[in-house]
Amino acid sequence: MFGKKIGAKRKYEHNVAGYVFISPWLLGFLLLTLWPIIQSFYLSFTQYSLLDSPTWVGTGNYEAIFQKDRLFVKSLVVTFTFVLFAVPIKLFFSLMVAMLLNRDLKGMSLYRTLIYFPSLIGGSIAVAALWRNMFGLDGYINHILSWFSIEGIGWVSNPKTALSTLILLSAWQFGSTMVIFLAGLKQIPRDLYESASVDGAGLFRKFYNITIPMLSPVIFFNLVLGIINAFQMFTSAFVITAGGPANSTYMYVLFLYEKAFKQFQMGYASALGWILLLIIGVLTLINFVASKYWVHYESDGGK
Amino acid sequence: MTSEAKRSWKSHLILIPFSLLMIYPVIWWIGASFKSTAELSLPSLFPEQWMWQNYTDGWAFSSQYTFTTFFANTLMMEFWNVLGGVLTAALVGYGFGRLNFRFRNFWFAVLMATLMLPAQVTVVPQYILYNKLGFVDSYIPLILPHFFGGGAFFIFLVVQFIRGIPRELDEAAQIDGASVYGIFFRIIMPLIKPALYTVGIFTFLWSWDDFFSQLLYLSSVEKFTVGLGLRMFIDQFEVQWGQLLAMSLLSVLPSAIIFFVAQKHFVEGIATTGIKG
């Protein structure tokens, strides 16, 4: 009887205390996430310029986007191209580097620092400025090329190469992905490799049969977040190329930003936001479904 | 030479050129920030004539406000962001990590789902909301979100950390008559310090680089952050590249200092979240 009472009291206490402790997040979620999402859905069916109140236009925004807006198509193509190249390149490089760094070696912490450092500052406007200068017509890159008697071009001002420059910049910032891979590699038991060596497996076989399956949950994590982040790329496209030349780097988020905060078409921009959410949602879902076929979790009994 | 020594020698052979390649643009950047415009396009790493005035002229490039204002503004904003992020991430992390309450799993799933939500979906209504409340062109839209748990990523990090702390410690304190609040302040808070360092460091770094929100919400020059100051620099009619690179370099200095001082917390922090995700 006595014990039961205490038990009941404790449970109650945790119910209240639990909500007290999570209240900052819960409040923020309701106020700055849930409510804006609902409102953005409503606004996407309206015309709204901040000055007048929103007017209902039904699916007008969506029709305009899908049927008439050439910039929408262009920005989608640019963004998908960026994601398609930037994400795998970054994943591949960071995995290779993580494997290189995953050993006990004198001076390893210095190597890690040097390799991680660019990622620390990579997303900032400062590095965007640096990049713009280095890849300019008179920039540093072209001078290096001239040593090999290759005539450089204005990498950033040429529509054919501008996007590649941004992809390269994103690849230069592979540090956080690399650190996550590194942590994953440290979890793989060494004796797996040793017994494979005894069986005569080479480097490539060990990589393919041990590293990849054992690391697959981490690869999956990096892939999902990598895609989501790549879709939201803004600063470098805004600062280095401003979407140009000839809209060749006109990223989706840049398009959304200009619609909302340059032209003040809030309804239209909300519709663009919802389309982005759907795209990312579908891709994430596909990722999760596909993961059943290639991601191995230890608790399932491995392979 | 033993085979072990041979292997490590080989690794150095790859690692040395590779890490130099990675850091090379940064070294070039340091040199270039001291160059005159004429020397900038030369491939030499360091200038023949050191232009210290790149720094002094760049610092005061706009006649009205200097980078002193921009740095002061950014650091003030950072103070509140870090304070809010660390404090509320600890509270919320404890709630999710230790307490049993109704619908906890549901709310936790919601929390994790917001991790994947692109900010662009909520940005328009948020702007409208702040605009109605008269907060546009103030720091409130930049600071306030950090007092709401500091973001899903940090809460998750603290939760993961708390789950690694043995429950016996809580239970012992409970037998001694401590309430959940007492346990949080006297047992958990001191133990999760490493995670909170990580939260603080990354809050600082990410808010420093959160150019999108700064661009959106700050419009008067007197309130500009360092990032917006640089943007103003770039938008000038004729960009003084030497000065711009000098100021850009200064703008990443705080992040660099924090990185070198707190290196240990970095790798630990990313590792705890990453591996268990």
Side-chain angles (χ1 to χ4, degrees):
Chain A
M1 190 75 180
F2 188 59
K4 201 175 167 190
K5 210 172 170 186
I6 284 183
K9 183 173 178 268
R10 191 181 297 158
K11 201 173 170 211
Y12 169 75
E13 190 179 64
H14 280 228
N15 256 334
V16 175
Y19 279 96
V20 168
F21 274 102
I22 70 160
S23 60
W25 170 76
L26 196 58
L27 210 67
F29 169 73
L30 298 175
L31 214 68
L32 290 183
T33 308
L34 189 65
W35 171 239
I37 286 180
I38 297 168
Q39 230 203 341
S40 138
F41 189 63
Y42 161 69
L43 283 175
S44 75
F45 296 101
T46 67
Q47 221 163 33
Y48 183 40
S49 66
L50 274 189
L51 296 173
D52 313 309
S53 46
T55 31
W56 184 263
V57 292
T59 54
N61 287 328
Y62 291 95
E63 278 164 30
I65 289 170
F66 284 113
Q67 287 166 7
K68 291 179 207 137
D69 200 329
R70 284 226 182 127
L71 273 177
F72 168 74
V73 180
K74 180 71 192 171
S75 70
L76 260 195
V77 171
V78 170
T79 309
F80 268 98
T81 315
F82 177 79
V83 172
L84 201 66
F85 284 97
V87 174
I89 290 176
K90 202 178 196 169
L91 279 188
F92 180 76
F93 271 113
S94 41
L95 179 55
M96 290 300 125
V97 177
M99 285 171 60
L100 202 61
L101 293 181
N102 183 32
R103 51 188 82 180
D104 300 316
L105 210 62
K106 244 189 203 150
M108 192 47 102
S109 64
L110 178 67
Y111 291 132
R112 276 184 204 156
T113 307
L114 292 179
I115 291 169
Y116 186 78
F117 188 73
S119 302
L120 178 75
I121 54 172
S124 65
I125 183 166
V127 173
L130 171 73
W131 217 247
R132 195 165 113 167
N133 184 282
M134 279 177 54
F135 282 87
L137 188 59
D138 281 334
Y140 166 77
I141 297 293
N142 281 346
H143 269 271
I144 303 266
L145 288 178
S146 69
W147 295 350
F148 304 96
S149 32
I150 300 170
E151 200 178 326
I153 51 169
W155 299 96
V156 175
S157 52
N158 187 323
K160 284 192 182 128
T161 51
L163 190 60
S164 318
T165 321
L166 297 188
I167 291 172
L168 195 64
L169 174 58
S170 119
W172 191 45
Q173 308 155 24
F174 60 62
S176 349
T177 324
M178 189 263 295
V179 174
I180 295 173
F181 274 137
L182 198 57
L185 284 172
K186 288 197 185 303
Q187 303 281 313
I188 302 177
R190 270 174 193 250
D191 46 338
L192 278 179
Y193 290 105
E194 276 155 21
S195 57
S197 291
V198 172
D199 292 342
L203 260 182
F204 183 76
R205 291 225 31 189
K206 275 193 264 183
F207 175 72
Y208 192 77
N209 286 335
I210 301 172
T211 310
I212 294 283
M214 292 298 285
L215 207 60
S216 55
V218 183
I219 299 176
F220 176 63
F221 177 82
N222 276 335
L223 180 71
V224 170
L225 284 189
I227 291 177
I228 293 171
N229 286 333
F231 266 102
Q232 299 179 60
M233 200 273 250
F234 176 76
T235 308
S236 37
F238 184 76
V239 175
I240 302 179
T241 57
N247 289 334
S248 60
T249 58
Y250 202 60
M251 303 290 292
Y252 193 87
V253 175
L254 196 60
F255 178 45
L256 192 150
Y257 169 79
E258 289 192 342
K259 277 286 171 208
F261 303 107
K262 285 256 163 77
Q263 301 163 16
F264 290 101
Q265 302 186 15
M266 296 294 183
Y268 201 89
S270 298
L272 287 177
W274 268 89
I275 295 168
L276 180 67
L277 178 66
L278 281 184
I279 293 172
I280 291 181
V282 167
L283 285 178
T284 307
L285 194 70
I286 292 175
N287 252 325
F288 269 94
V289 171
S291 75
K292 287 197 181 100
Y293 300 96
W294 67 275
V295 178
H296 302 267
Y297 289 103
E298 271 302 275
S299 49
D300 300 345
K303 300 159 200 177
Chain B
M1 216 187 263
T2 64
S3 76
E4 189 63 31
K6 214 169 164 181
R7 272 234 311 273
S8 72
W9 184 77
K10 259 196 214 155
S11 308
H12 283 298
L13 210 63
I14 305 171
L15 279 165
I16 291 172
F18 182 71
S19 42
L20 285 180
L21 183 77
M22 289 300 292
I23 206 73
Y24 199 82
V26 178
I27 297 169
W28 180 84
W29 189 3
I30 296 172
S33 72
F34 287 103
K35 284 179 174 176
S36 62
T37 315
E39 266 193 274
L40 249 180
S41 52
L42 299 178
S44 62
L45 261 189
F46 292 101
E48 288 189 6
Q49 196 197 350
W50 290 72
M51 299 277 290
W52 289 94
Q53 59 264 50
N54 276 352
Y55 283 83
T56 48
D57 292 354
W59 190 269
F61 81 100
S62 143
S63 45
Q64 230 182 336
Y65 298 98
T66 63
F67 268 91
T68 316
T69 312
F70 303 149
F71 269 96
N73 288 343
T74 320
L75 287 172
M76 183 275 300
M77 176 192 81
E78 289 282 10
F79 170 77
W80 292 109
N81 285 1
V82 171
L83 182 78
V86 168
L87 207 71
T88 53
L91 288 171
V92 179
Y94 176 68
F96 278 121
R98 266 298 196 266
L99 302 178
N100 263 317
F101 53 91
R102 208 173 283 184
F103 306 121
R104 182 184 68 166
N105 291 344
F106 169 74
W107 289 120
F108 194 67
V110 171
L111 175 81
M112 294 312 290
T114 61
L115 204 59
M116 297 184 187
L117 188 76
Q120 286 74 27
V121 185
T122 50
V123 72
V124 170
Q126 275 179 14
Y127 184 88
I128 296 169
L129 181 73
Y130 287 128
N131 189 42
K132 271 188 189 145
L133 297 171
F135 289 156
V136 168
D137 201 25
S138 81
Y139 295 99
I140 293 174
L142 302 174
I143 293 173
L144 193 66
H146 293 278
F147 279 86
F148 287 142
F153 184 82
F154 294 133
I155 295 171
F156 180 57
L157 192 143
V158 174
V159 168
Q160 290 294 66
F161 201 89
I162 287 180
R163 280 178 182 164
I165 298 171
R167 261 177 196 276
E168 285 78 21
L169 289 174
D170 305 30
E171 279 156 15
Q174 207 166 21
I175 291 166
D176 289 347
S179 66
V180 276
Y181 305 98
I183 293 171
F184 172 72
F185 284 111
R186 271 177 291 150
I187 314 257
I188 299 291
M189 266 300 244
L191 285 174
I192 58 171
K193 261 190 203 150
L196 296 183
Y197 277 124
T198 312
V199 172
I201 291 165
F202 277 99
T203 302
F204 185 92
L205 294 176
W206 289 350
S207 334
W208 194 277
D209 284 348
D210 183 12
F211 181 66
F212 189 88
S213 320
Q214 296 167 12
L215 181 73
L216 210 57
Y217 289 115
L218 299 176
S219 50
S220 34
V221 180
E222 65 192 69
K223 289 173 188 158
F224 270 15
T225 57
V226 176
L228 291 175
L230 284 177
R231 157 100 194 297
M232 197 158 86
F233 211 132
I234 295 173
D235 282 352
Q236 281 172 316
F237 184 63
E238 207 169 322
V239 181
Q240 297 291 321
W241 276 106
Q243 294 177 18
L244 174 60
L245 290 177
M247 288 306 108
S248 313
L249 197 64
L250 288 185
S251 81
V252 299
L253 208 60
S255 307
I257 292 172
I258 287 188
F259 174 65
F260 285 112
V261 172
Q263 257 201 63
K264 204 183 68 162
H265 300 295
F266 257 88
V267 179
E268 263 177 18
I270 304 180
T272 2
T273 355
I275 191 62
K276 285 164 185 167

